[in-house]
Amino acid sequence: MQATIQRLNHWITEVPIRVHAFSERELSDRAQPGKWSKKEILGHLCDSALTNMQRFVRVQYEPQPYAVLKYAQNQWVELMGYQSLPIEHVLSLWVSLNKQVAQVIARIPEEMLQYSCDNGGENLVTVEWLIKDYVDHLEQIFLSE
């Protein structure tokens, strides 16, 4: 789990550098109608952090297998209003949330990493899988830009 936390901490440092390479306008522009701007993508990752932090906490005390909390990502991005917020607000939120996610992950007892989770797929997954999937998702987005 330490390697996954290190990957997350790398992005906590790297993302502000990448974001500051763009102007507010570049971050707010939508490439196509119906597509998210870079700012909204970062906002989506804030929503992902909020949702996953709840998962990582709840799985430690709710009955097994833990039923993974779902969320409607498009509605969250719209309702959170990321597009109209200054990028520094969105970036600060993302950094703070992910610092806390890293702390929560670091505190999960080793034996709980193998707890079962029902994420709606055909097979149950482990807490460890959920955590790695969270960081993988983050990396896929940042590496694709």
Side-chain angles (χ1 to χ4, degrees):
M1 197 51 25
Q2 197 59 34
T4 303
I5 294 169
Q6 287 174 345
R7 287 170 47 212
L8 180 55
N9 284 326
H10 162 77
W11 289 108
I12 291 169
T13 302
E14 180 69 19
V15 168
I17 295 166
R18 289 184 180 211
V19 166
H20 289 124
F22 295 97
S23 70
E24 180 80 29
R25 182 180 176 133
E26 290 171 315
L27 293 164
S28 297
D29 283 346
R30 293 183 175 133
Q32 298 174 21
K35 295 288 185 183
W36 290 339
S37 66
K38 286 178 173 35
K39 190 189 307 186
E40 289 172 312
I41 292 168
L42 186 60
H44 160 67
L45 293 173
C46 290
D47 300 339
S48 179
L50 284 164
T51 302
N52 279 286
M53 191 173 351
Q54 278 196 62
R55 292 171 178 168
F56 303 155
V57 170
R58 289 174 182 267
V59 72
Q60 295 180 67
Y61 65 83
E62 289 193 3
Q64 301 296 300
Y66 167 68
V68 172
L69 177 68
K70 303 281 187 202
Y71 76 106
Q73 64 185 18
N74 290 325
Q75 287 82 356
W76 273 66
V77 167
E78 181 183 336
L79 295 170
M80 294 294 267
Y82 296 117
Q83 185 68 3
S84 64
L85 295 173
I87 190 57
E88 287 304 321
H89 179 102
V90 181
L91 180 60
S92 175
L93 178 61
W94 184 86
V95 168
S96 295
L97 286 169
N98 279 283
K99 284 181 177 180
Q100 186 61 31
V101 167
Q103 289 298 311
V104 168
I105 293 168
R107 295 175 52 84
I108 297 175
E110 187 74 28
E111 66 275 7
M112 287 187 179
L113 293 173
Q114 298 311 308
Y115 278 12
S116 295
C117 304
D118 181 353
N119 68 346
E122 290 184 28
N123 299 312
L124 296 177
V125 298
T126 64
V127 175
E128 182 175 19
W129 185 92
L130 281 179
I131 292 168
K132 288 180 179 178
D133 185 61
Y134 171 71
V135 177
D136 288 347
H137 174 64
L138 233 161
E139 286 182 332
Q140 287 173 345
I141 289 174
F142 289 129
L143 292 174
S144 70
E145 290 189 355

